[in-house]
Amino acid sequence: MINIERIDAIMAQRGIKYRKDLAEKAGLQPHQISNLLNGIIAPSLRTVDRICTALECQPGDFLRHRAD
């Protein structure tokens, strides 16, 4: 399973205070960010790309693999 971790820490480093601001910057809906971070949905490669672009980071900065 792929988990999203450390998004809040990366956001803080980039001066992005709220998840809704990340969503706007990434071209996503706020509920999409919420669902991703709560593990309700898995991120698509397109979503990962958008988050990386918005946060100016690499996928490995926030994606972690965990064996089921």
Side-chain angles (χ1 to χ4, degrees), residues 40-61:
I40 296 170
I41 60 172
S44 67
L45 289 177
R46 182 176 179 189
T47 298
V48 170
D49 179 58
R50 287 178 171 202
I51 291 172
C52 287
T53 299
L55 293 178
E56 299 176 4
C57 68
Q58 296 296 312
D61 294 338

Side-chain angles (χ1 to χ4, degrees), residues 4 18-24 26-43 47 50-51:
I4 295 182
Y18 301 106
R19 290 177 177 179
K20 67 178 179 72
D21 296 331
L22 172 60
E24 183 177 314
L28 301 168
Q29 296 296 317
H31 73 273
Q32 289 174 289
I33 296 292
S34 178
N35 287 344
L36 287 170
L37 298 181
N38 291 325
I40 296 170
I41 60 172
T47 298
R50 287 178 171 202
I51 291 172

